[in-house]
Amino acid sequence: MNTLLNDITNTPHAVAVVGASGHTGGFVVAELLRRGFQPIAIGRSVERLAASGFSERGVECRVAALEDDKALDRALAGAAAVINCAGPFIDTADTVVRAALRAGIHYLDVTAEQSSVLATFEQHSAAAQNADVTVIPAMGFFGGLSDLLVTAAMNEWEHADTIEIRVALDSWHPTGGTRLTGKRNTAQRLTISGGQLQLVHHSPVERVFTLPAPFGEQTFVELPFSEVPLISRHVRTTELSTFLNTAALRDIRDPSTPPPQSVDKSGRSAQRFAVEVVITQGAALRKIVAQGRDIYAISAPIICEAVHRILSDKTRASGVTPPAATFNAADFLRALGPDMSVEISAR
């Protein structure tokens, strides 16, 4: 490694990406470059890192197996933060959080797994607080986006009677990592009922909702993701329900559904998404809708905006913290404007 690269990677702008050669990791590296950061691409395979084209874009590549603490510590050297894109996160989050704490750097990931989020809060809150490090699990499409939308719509409300999150995808072509996570993520799901975090004991509830174009009327099934443990940490609500449209669920359950295919120079697929949040308090109702393209690609600007804010804010929160308890939710969503549209309404 030359002296110039040493100087670059030891600046506050060096951000490590674990799982960089994966599908989401590639989007994150590209977004960090676009924002002027110096990514450090970390993976376990020399061949996959070489095939990624990172070196041609001036990105330093470092090889480390997550089960090798010393190699991972070396890979994180000089970074100010680490973004974990290597799922399943029930297998990787604990290891990478511990490495981040040893290095004294901030940690973020894009998990959709409830059990991973809960374990991060339960196992690392005290250590992260003591180290004055910010740890944010689920800072991506699943988890973080819904947490931000709920909080922005709540605004000055101190509590809600009901919160419904409706996620609609016009298709879901899963990555290999998504399929592997689905096989590993067998924990019983959680929701909020009676104001408490509760296991979902009933059979999945089906509902019909009408979302903005191009979706229209869709059938949804109750399926909570990592937004539930995040929201439960800082939002008071009697009931919380998350729904996914059945068209997306059919795609991901079909083993013959191919992985996502790029349709533009950025690598994004043609997939469209909408996330609609409906909140009630008595007779009052508030609604917020976010729409955009490609749930894997959109996670990159979301998590990179979070990194930017953490590294530039001397008053940032420390410890393990939900996205919307860390940032001003409405302001954060406005910053994503070029990549996603957001509309709020009230009745």
Side-chain angles (χ1 to χ4, degrees), residues 139-186:
M139 190 73 237
F141 175 82
F142 287 109
L145 177 57
S146 292
D147 184 38
L148 291 163
L149 291 169
V150 166
T151 306
M154 289 278 291
N155 196 5
E156 81 287 358
W157 283 3
E158 294 184 357
H159 67 89
D161 294 331
T162 66
I163 299 174
E164 286 189 350
I165 300 169
R166 307 158 183 175
V167 179
L169 313 177
D170 65 357
S171 63
W172 192 349
H173 289 229
T175 64
T178 297
R179 290 207 180 277
L180 179 58
T181 297
K183 292 177 181 177
R184 290 281 292 114
N185 186 23
T186 58

Short mmCIF file of all heavy atoms in Angstrom, two decimals, residues 139-186:
data_model
loop_
_atom_site.label_atom_id
_atom_site.label_comp_id
_atom_site.label_asym_id
_atom_site.label_seq_id
_atom_site.Cartn_x
_atom_site.Cartn_y
_atom_site.Cartn_z
N MET A 139 -30.38 0.10 9.18
CA MET A 139 -30.42 1.44 8.60
C MET A 139 -30.56 1.34 7.08
O MET A 139 -29.77 1.87 6.31
CB MET A 139 -29.14 2.19 8.98
CG MET A 139 -29.11 3.67 8.67
SD MET A 139 -30.13 4.69 9.73
CE MET A 139 -31.18 5.49 8.50
N GLY A 140 -31.59 0.60 6.63
CA GLY A 140 -31.80 0.41 5.20
C GLY A 140 -33.27 0.47 4.84
O GLY A 140 -34.08 1.05 5.56
N PHE A 141 -33.63 -0.14 3.71
CA PHE A 141 -35.03 -0.12 3.28
C PHE A 141 -35.92 -0.77 4.31
O PHE A 141 -36.93 -0.20 4.73
CB PHE A 141 -35.17 -0.83 1.93
CG PHE A 141 -36.61 -0.94 1.48
CD1 PHE A 141 -37.23 0.11 0.84
CD2 PHE A 141 -37.34 -2.11 1.70
CE1 PHE A 141 -38.57 0.03 0.46
CE2 PHE A 141 -38.67 -2.20 1.31
CZ PHE A 141 -39.28 -1.13 0.69
N PHE A 142 -35.57 -1.99 4.71
CA PHE A 142 -36.33 -2.63 5.78
C PHE A 142 -35.81 -2.13 7.12
O PHE A 142 -34.61 -2.08 7.35
CB PHE A 142 -36.21 -4.16 5.70
CG PHE A 142 -36.97 -4.76 4.56
CD1 PHE A 142 -36.31 -5.28 3.46
CD2 PHE A 142 -38.36 -4.79 4.57
CE1 PHE A 142 -37.02 -5.84 2.40
CE2 PHE A 142 -39.08 -5.35 3.52
CZ PHE A 142 -38.41 -5.86 2.43
N GLY A 143 -36.71 -1.75 7.98
CA GLY A 143 -36.31 -1.26 9.29
C GLY A 143 -36.20 0.24 9.34
O GLY A 143 -37.14 0.95 9.73
N GLY A 144 -35.07 0.77 8.92
CA GLY A 144 -34.79 2.19 9.08
C GLY A 144 -35.74 3.11 8.35
O GLY A 144 -36.18 4.13 8.90
N LEU A 145 -36.09 2.78 7.11
CA LEU A 145 -36.98 3.66 6.35
C LEU A 145 -38.34 3.77 7.02
O LEU A 145 -38.88 4.87 7.19
CB LEU A 145 -37.13 3.15 4.91
CG LEU A 145 -38.09 3.95 4.03
CD1 LEU A 145 -37.69 5.41 3.95
CD2 LEU A 145 -38.17 3.33 2.63
N SER A 146 -38.92 2.65 7.44
CA SER A 146 -40.22 2.69 8.11
C SER A 146 -40.13 3.45 9.43
O SER A 146 -41.05 4.20 9.79
CB SER A 146 -40.74 1.28 8.35
OG SER A 146 -41.06 0.65 7.13
N ASP A 147 -39.05 3.27 10.17
CA ASP A 147 -38.85 4.00 11.43
C ASP A 147 -38.84 5.50 11.19
O ASP A 147 -39.49 6.28 11.91
CB ASP A 147 -37.54 3.54 12.07
CG ASP A 147 -37.29 4.17 13.43
OD1 ASP A 147 -38.26 4.35 14.20
OD2 ASP A 147 -36.13 4.48 13.73
N LEU A 148 -38.15 5.95 10.15
CA LEU A 148 -38.11 7.37 9.81
C LEU A 148 -39.49 7.89 9.37
O LEU A 148 -39.91 8.98 9.75
CB LEU A 148 -37.08 7.61 8.70
CG LEU A 148 -35.62 7.40 9.09
CD1 LEU A 148 -34.75 7.26 7.84
CD2 LEU A 148 -35.12 8.55 9.96
N LEU A 149 -40.18 7.09 8.55
CA LEU A 149 -41.50 7.51 8.06
C LEU A 149 -42.50 7.64 9.21
O LEU A 149 -43.26 8.61 9.29
CB LEU A 149 -42.01 6.52 7.02
CG LEU A 149 -41.26 6.49 5.68
CD1 LEU A 149 -41.69 5.30 4.85
CD2 LEU A 149 -41.48 7.79 4.91
N VAL A 150 -42.51 6.65 10.10
CA VAL A 150 -43.42 6.70 11.25
C VAL A 150 -43.15 7.93 12.09
O VAL A 150 -44.07 8.68 12.47
CB VAL A 150 -43.29 5.42 12.10
CG1 VAL A 150 -43.96 5.59 13.46
CG2 VAL A 150 -43.89 4.22 11.37
N THR A 151 -41.90 8.20 12.39
CA THR A 151 -41.55 9.31 13.26
C THR A 151 -41.85 10.65 12.61
O THR A 151 -42.32 11.59 13.27
CB THR A 151 -40.06 9.21 13.65
OG1 THR A 151 -39.82 7.93 14.22
CG2 THR A 151 -39.68 10.28 14.65
N ALA A 152 -41.59 10.76 11.31
CA ALA A 152 -41.90 12.01 10.61
C ALA A 152 -43.41 12.27 10.61
O ALA A 152 -43.86 13.41 10.78
CB ALA A 152 -41.37 11.95 9.18
N ALA A 153 -44.21 11.22 10.41
CA ALA A 153 -45.66 11.39 10.40
C ALA A 153 -46.20 11.68 11.79
O ALA A 153 -47.14 12.47 11.96
CB ALA A 153 -46.33 10.15 9.82
N MET A 154 -45.63 11.09 12.80
CA MET A 154 -46.05 11.35 14.19
C MET A 154 -45.84 12.82 14.54
O MET A 154 -46.67 13.44 15.21
CB MET A 154 -45.25 10.48 15.16
CG MET A 154 -45.57 9.00 15.13
SD MET A 154 -47.02 8.56 16.12
CE MET A 154 -46.45 8.83 17.79
N ASN A 155 -44.71 13.38 14.14
CA ASN A 155 -44.38 14.78 14.40
C ASN A 155 -44.53 15.09 15.88
O ASN A 155 -43.84 14.53 16.71
CB ASN A 155 -45.22 15.70 13.51
CG ASN A 155 -44.67 17.11 13.45
OD1 ASN A 155 -43.60 17.40 13.99
ND2 ASN A 155 -45.38 18.02 12.81
N GLU A 156 -45.49 15.96 16.24
CA GLU A 156 -45.61 16.35 17.65
C GLU A 156 -46.45 15.39 18.48
O GLU A 156 -46.52 15.52 19.71
CB GLU A 156 -46.21 17.77 17.75
CG GLU A 156 -47.72 17.86 17.62
CD GLU A 156 -48.27 17.64 16.21
OE1 GLU A 156 -47.46 17.46 15.28
OE2 GLU A 156 -49.50 17.65 16.05
N TRP A 157 -47.08 14.39 17.85
CA TRP A 157 -47.86 13.43 18.61
C TRP A 157 -46.95 12.65 19.55
O TRP A 157 -45.89 12.16 19.14
CB TRP A 157 -48.57 12.45 17.68
CG TRP A 157 -49.79 12.99 17.00
CD1 TRP A 157 -50.29 14.26 17.08
CD2 TRP A 157 -50.66 12.26 16.13
NE1 TRP A 157 -51.41 14.37 16.30
CE2 TRP A 157 -51.67 13.17 15.71
CE3 TRP A 157 -50.69 10.96 15.66
CZ2 TRP A 157 -52.69 12.79 14.84
CZ3 TRP A 157 -51.70 10.57 14.79
CH2 TRP A 157 -52.70 11.48 14.38
N GLU A 158 -47.35 12.50 20.79
CA GLU A 158 -46.56 11.76 21.76
C GLU A 158 -46.92 10.28 21.80
O GLU A 158 -46.18 9.47 22.35
CB GLU A 158 -46.73 12.37 23.15
CG GLU A 158 -46.15 13.77 23.26
CD GLU A 158 -46.24 14.33 24.66
OE1 GLU A 158 -46.82 13.64 25.54
OE2 GLU A 158 -45.73 15.44 24.89
N HIS A 159 -48.07 9.94 21.22
CA HIS A 159 -48.47 8.53 21.18
C HIS A 159 -49.42 8.33 20.02
O HIS A 159 -49.99 9.29 19.47
CB HIS A 159 -49.15 8.10 22.49
CG HIS A 159 -50.47 8.76 22.72
ND1 HIS A 159 -51.65 8.22 22.25
CD2 HIS A 159 -50.80 9.92 23.34
CE1 HIS A 159 -52.66 9.01 22.58
NE2 HIS A 159 -52.17 10.05 23.24
N ALA A 160 -49.58 7.07 19.62
CA ALA A 160 -50.53 6.72 18.57
C ALA A 160 -51.40 5.58 19.07
O ALA A 160 -50.99 4.77 19.90
CB ALA A 160 -49.79 6.29 17.31
N ASP A 161 -52.63 5.53 18.55
CA ASP A 161 -53.48 4.38 18.84
C ASP A 161 -53.09 3.20 17.95
O ASP A 161 -52.94 2.07 18.43
CB ASP A 161 -54.95 4.74 18.62
CG ASP A 161 -55.44 5.77 19.61
OD1 ASP A 161 -54.91 5.81 20.74
OD2 ASP A 161 -56.34 6.57 19.26
N THR A 162 -52.94 3.48 16.66
CA THR A 162 -52.56 2.41 15.73
C THR A 162 -51.54 2.94 14.73
O THR A 162 -51.58 4.10 14.34
CB THR A 162 -53.76 1.86 14.95
OG1 THR A 162 -54.28 2.89 14.09
CG2 THR A 162 -54.85 1.37 15.89
N ILE A 163 -50.64 2.07 14.33
CA ILE A 163 -49.70 2.35 13.24
C ILE A 163 -49.75 1.16 12.29
O ILE A 163 -49.57 0.01 12.71
CB ILE A 163 -48.26 2.54 13.74
CG1 ILE A 163 -48.16 3.73 14.70
CG2 ILE A 163 -47.31 2.74 12.55
CD1 ILE A 163 -46.79 3.87 15.34
N GLU A 164 -50.02 1.42 11.02
CA GLU A 164 -49.97 0.38 9.99
C GLU A 164 -48.91 0.77 8.96
O GLU A 164 -48.91 1.89 8.46
CB GLU A 164 -51.32 0.21 9.30
CG GLU A 164 -52.35 -0.50 10.15
CD GLU A 164 -53.60 -0.85 9.37
OE1 GLU A 164 -53.76 -0.38 8.22
OE2 GLU A 164 -54.43 -1.60 9.93
N ILE A 165 -48.03 -0.17 8.67
CA ILE A 165 -46.99 0.01 7.65
C ILE A 165 -47.30 -0.96 6.51
O ILE A 165 -47.41 -2.16 6.72
CB ILE A 165 -45.59 -0.28 8.24
CG1 ILE A 165 -45.31 0.68 9.40
CG2 ILE A 165 -44.53 -0.14 7.15
CD1 ILE A 165 -44.09 0.30 10.21
N ARG A 166 -47.47 -0.41 5.32
CA ARG A 166 -47.84 -1.22 4.16
C ARG A 166 -46.74 -1.12 3.11
O ARG A 166 -46.50 -0.05 2.54
CB ARG A 166 -49.17 -0.72 3.58
CG ARG A 166 -50.28 -0.64 4.63
CD ARG A 166 -51.39 0.31 4.23
NE ARG A 166 -52.42 0.42 5.28
CZ ARG A 166 -53.45 1.26 5.21
NH1 ARG A 166 -53.60 2.07 4.15
NH2 ARG A 166 -54.34 1.29 6.19
N VAL A 167 -46.06 -2.24 2.88
CA VAL A 167 -44.94 -2.28 1.94
C VAL A 167 -45.42 -2.98 0.67
O VAL A 167 -45.84 -4.14 0.72
CB VAL A 167 -43.74 -3.03 2.54
CG1 VAL A 167 -42.58 -3.08 1.54
CG2 VAL A 167 -43.29 -2.37 3.85
N ALA A 168 -45.33 -2.27 -0.45
CA ALA A 168 -45.75 -2.84 -1.74
C ALA A 168 -44.57 -2.83 -2.70
O ALA A 168 -43.90 -1.81 -2.86
CB ALA A 168 -46.91 -2.04 -2.33
N LEU A 169 -44.31 -3.98 -3.32
CA LEU A 169 -43.29 -4.11 -4.34
C LEU A 169 -43.96 -4.64 -5.60
O LEU A 169 -44.78 -5.56 -5.52
CB LEU A 169 -42.19 -5.09 -3.91
CG LEU A 169 -41.63 -4.93 -2.49
CD1 LEU A 169 -40.61 -6.04 -2.21
CD2 LEU A 169 -41.00 -3.57 -2.30
N ASP A 170 -43.63 -4.07 -6.77
CA ASP A 170 -44.27 -4.59 -7.98
C ASP A 170 -43.67 -5.94 -8.38
O ASP A 170 -44.25 -6.68 -9.18
CB ASP A 170 -44.20 -3.59 -9.13
CG ASP A 170 -42.78 -3.29 -9.61
OD1 ASP A 170 -41.83 -3.82 -9.02
OD2 ASP A 170 -42.64 -2.51 -10.57
N SER A 171 -42.52 -6.27 -7.81
CA SER A 171 -41.89 -7.59 -7.98
C SER A 171 -40.80 -7.69 -6.93
O SER A 171 -40.36 -6.68 -6.38
CB SER A 171 -41.29 -7.76 -9.38
OG SER A 171 -40.24 -6.81 -9.57
N TRP A 172 -40.37 -8.90 -6.63
CA TRP A 172 -39.24 -9.06 -5.71
C TRP A 172 -38.36 -10.18 -6.24
O TRP A 172 -38.65 -11.35 -6.07
CB TRP A 172 -39.71 -9.38 -4.30
CG TRP A 172 -38.59 -9.28 -3.28
CD1 TRP A 172 -37.25 -9.16 -3.53
CD2 TRP A 172 -38.73 -9.28 -1.86
NE1 TRP A 172 -36.54 -9.07 -2.37
CE2 TRP A 172 -37.42 -9.15 -1.31
CE3 TRP A 172 -39.81 -9.39 -0.98
CZ2 TRP A 172 -37.19 -9.13 0.06
CZ3 TRP A 172 -39.58 -9.37 0.38
CH2 TRP A 172 -38.29 -9.23 0.89
N HIS A 173 -37.28 -9.78 -6.90
CA HIS A 173 -36.27 -10.71 -7.38
C HIS A 173 -35.18 -10.75 -6.32
O HIS A 173 -34.34 -9.85 -6.25
CB HIS A 173 -35.73 -10.26 -8.74
CG HIS A 173 -36.71 -10.42 -9.85
ND1 HIS A 173 -36.40 -11.03 -11.05
CD2 HIS A 173 -38.02 -10.09 -9.93
CE1 HIS A 173 -37.47 -11.05 -11.82
NE2 HIS A 173 -38.47 -10.47 -11.17
N PRO A 174 -35.14 -11.78 -5.49
CA PRO A 174 -34.24 -11.79 -4.34
C PRO A 174 -32.80 -12.12 -4.72
O PRO A 174 -32.54 -12.88 -5.66
CB PRO A 174 -34.82 -12.88 -3.44
CG PRO A 174 -35.48 -13.83 -4.39
CD PRO A 174 -36.01 -12.97 -5.53
N THR A 175 -31.87 -11.53 -3.98
CA THR A 175 -30.46 -11.90 -4.13
C THR A 175 -30.21 -13.24 -3.44
O THR A 175 -31.06 -13.72 -2.67
CB THR A 175 -29.56 -10.84 -3.50
OG1 THR A 175 -29.80 -10.80 -2.09
CG2 THR A 175 -29.82 -9.46 -4.10
N GLY A 176 -29.04 -13.78 -3.68
CA GLY A 176 -28.67 -15.01 -2.97
C GLY A 176 -28.62 -14.79 -1.47
O GLY A 176 -29.00 -15.67 -0.68
N GLY A 177 -28.16 -13.61 -1.06
CA GLY A 177 -28.12 -13.29 0.36
C GLY A 177 -29.50 -13.24 0.99
O GLY A 177 -29.70 -13.69 2.13
N THR A 178 -30.47 -12.71 0.25
CA THR A 178 -31.85 -12.67 0.75
C THR A 178 -32.39 -14.08 0.93
O THR A 178 -33.04 -14.39 1.93
CB THR A 178 -32.75 -11.87 -0.21
OG1 THR A 178 -32.28 -10.52 -0.28
CG2 THR A 178 -34.19 -11.88 0.26
N ARG A 179 -32.12 -14.95 -0.03
CA ARG A 179 -32.60 -16.34 0.07
C ARG A 179 -31.95 -17.05 1.25
O ARG A 179 -32.61 -17.78 2.00
CB ARG A 179 -32.34 -17.08 -1.23
CG ARG A 179 -33.21 -16.61 -2.40
CD ARG A 179 -33.40 -17.71 -3.41
NE ARG A 179 -34.21 -17.30 -4.53
CZ ARG A 179 -35.55 -17.28 -4.54
NH1 ARG A 179 -36.20 -17.65 -3.45
NH2 ARG A 179 -36.22 -16.92 -5.61
N LEU A 180 -30.65 -16.84 1.44
CA LEU A 180 -29.96 -17.47 2.56
C LEU A 180 -30.50 -16.97 3.88
O LEU A 180 -30.72 -17.74 4.82
CB LEU A 180 -28.46 -17.20 2.46
CG LEU A 180 -27.58 -17.78 3.57
CD1 LEU A 180 -27.73 -19.29 3.65
CD2 LEU A 180 -26.12 -17.39 3.36
N THR A 181 -30.77 -15.66 3.96
CA THR A 181 -31.32 -15.09 5.19
C THR A 181 -32.69 -15.68 5.49
O THR A 181 -33.02 -15.98 6.65
CB THR A 181 -31.42 -13.56 5.07
OG1 THR A 181 -30.10 -13.02 4.91
CG2 THR A 181 -32.07 -12.94 6.29
N GLY A 182 -33.50 -15.85 4.45
CA GLY A 182 -34.82 -16.44 4.65
C GLY A 182 -34.74 -17.84 5.25
O GLY A 182 -35.57 -18.21 6.09
N LYS A 183 -33.75 -18.61 4.84
CA LYS A 183 -33.58 -19.96 5.39
C LYS A 183 -33.10 -19.92 6.84
O LYS A 183 -33.48 -20.76 7.66
CB LYS A 183 -32.59 -20.75 4.53
CG LYS A 183 -33.10 -21.07 3.13
CD LYS A 183 -32.03 -21.79 2.31
CE LYS A 183 -32.53 -22.09 0.90
NZ LYS A 183 -31.48 -22.74 0.08
N ARG A 184 -32.23 -18.94 7.17
CA ARG A 184 -31.66 -18.86 8.50
C ARG A 184 -32.58 -18.16 9.49
O ARG A 184 -32.54 -18.43 10.69
CB ARG A 184 -30.33 -18.10 8.45
CG ARG A 184 -29.22 -18.84 7.77
CD ARG A 184 -28.60 -19.90 8.67
NE ARG A 184 -27.88 -19.29 9.81
CZ ARG A 184 -28.25 -19.40 11.08
NH1 ARG A 184 -29.29 -20.13 11.42
NH2 ARG A 184 -27.55 -18.80 12.03
N ASN A 185 -33.42 -17.27 8.99
CA ASN A 185 -34.24 -16.42 9.87
C ASN A 185 -35.55 -17.13 10.20
O ASN A 185 -36.60 -16.85 9.65
CB ASN A 185 -34.51 -15.08 9.19
CG ASN A 185 -35.21 -14.10 10.12
OD1 ASN A 185 -35.14 -14.22 11.33
ND2 ASN A 185 -35.89 -13.13 9.53
N THR A 186 -35.50 -18.06 11.16
CA THR A 186 -36.67 -18.86 11.51
C THR A 186 -37.30 -18.43 12.83
O THR A 186 -38.24 -19.07 13.31
CB THR A 186 -36.28 -20.34 11.59
OG1 THR A 186 -35.23 -20.49 12.57
CG2 THR A 186 -35.79 -20.85 10.25
#
